[in-house]
Amino acid sequence: MTLTAGVIAVQGDVSEHADAIRRAGEAHGEDVTVHEIRKSGIVPDCDLLLLPGGESTTISRLLHDEGIDEEILAHVEADKPLLATCAGLIVSSTDAKDDRVRTLDLVDVTVDRNAFGRQKDSFEAPLDVAGLDEPFPAVFIRAPLIDEVGDDVEVLAEWDGKPVAVRDGPVIGTSFHPELTPDVRLHRLAFFAAEAEQLAR
Ligand code: GLN
């Protein structure tokens, strides 16, 4: 059976995520067709969904203008997996502490939009992630800081004592960009792995 994945592409280049999803699928014997989504009407056909990084103010406005926001909510409501990275996590949060971001309230966290960015624009760090057997090479680019986490949110990884990867039901959110390294274990964890499985590289 072929699975259908959607990468929200209202802003920026998303080809790295599309590749990562296909490769992650292969690792689990799944054939995946990936759609780049710029209009409403496609998300309802998707089994897996990815909300990438970019600029959260712009992404949230475009999602709303196109009516894609409601479709993402229905996707998660139906318990289908969503991976939200960097600005995608900001948009998925319950509070981005910025009125220009219309949050989707899918991940019960409060985020500080450019917290890491103010210290350092971009850096890479090896991260211990729950469910992965070896550290994940995490690339942070003007990354948000998760500063409050709801009771039902599982923290999957921390950097410098702060959560940087979380799971809330079918949604995994990361402060970093898992698509910018050849390692597809985060995409595997979000979309293809059983909860108890430890993913080897
Ligand atoms: N800090 C950016 C924002 O607020 C996100 C940066 C990113 O996605 N790399 O949207």
Side-chain angles (χ1 to χ4, degrees):
M1 196 185 85
T2 302
L3 289 171
T4 303
V7 180
I8 306 294
V10 291
Q11 192 206 28
D13 183 18
V14 297
S15 57
E16 289 96 343
H17 274 301
D19 282 350
I21 296 171
R22 282 191 210 98
R23 289 175 45 228
E26 266 168 37
H28 292 263
E30 300 278 5
D31 206 7
V32 193
T33 303
V34 186
H35 296 292
E36 296 190 3
I37 295 169
R38 297 183 178 83
K39 295 261 173 283
S40 60
I42 304 164
V43 170
D45 294 331
C46 293
D47 305 299
L48 323 170
L49 208 56
L50 197 143
L51 186 56
E55 197 57 45
S56 51
T57 51
T58 308
I59 293 171
S60 76
R61 179 171 48 77
L62 293 173
L63 289 180
H64 185 71
D65 290 352
E66 297 296 332
I68 299 171
D69 53 355
E70 296 293 332
E71 296 182 338
I72 298 173
L73 296 180
H75 176 93
V76 173
E77 185 65 30
D79 216 24
K80 296 188 211 171
L82 168 71
L83 174 58
T85 64
C86 201
L89 168 63
I90 299 172
V91 173
S92 303
S93 74
T94 39
D95 188 359
K97 295 191 279 189
D98 185 331
D99 290 345
R100 292 170 300 168
V101 184
R102 215 187 261 263
T103 56
L104 297 174
D105 296 350
L106 292 171
V107 183
D108 188 10
V109 293
T110 298
V111 295
D112 193 349
R113 277 188 55 211
N114 288 310
F116 281 128
R118 279 199 291 271
Q119 299 157 18
K120 222 175 175 199
D121 269 337
S122 167
F123 62 97
E124 185 172 331
L127 272 190
D128 287 324
V129 180
L132 306 187
D133 69 345
E134 284 173 43
F136 186 87
V139 177
F140 293 83
I141 303 169
R142 292 189 305 117
L145 184 85
I146 300 172
D147 51 15
E148 279 173 52
V149 173
D151 289 344
D152 295 331
V153 175
E154 182 191 356
V155 175
L156 299 176
E158 290 188 345
W159 190 82
D160 207 15
K162 297 284 187 183
V164 290
V166 292
R167 188 200 292 275
D168 191 349
V171 187
I172 286 185
T174 66
S175 298
F176 53 90
H177 285 261
E179 79 284 13
L180 296 182
T181 61
D183 191 327
V184 296
R185 285 176 301 160
L186 235 307
H187 293 77
R188 292 176 58 189
L189 195 65
F191 296 134
F192 304 104
E195 298 257 334
E197 205 173 343
Q198 279 280 322
L199 295 180
R201 264 187 116 142

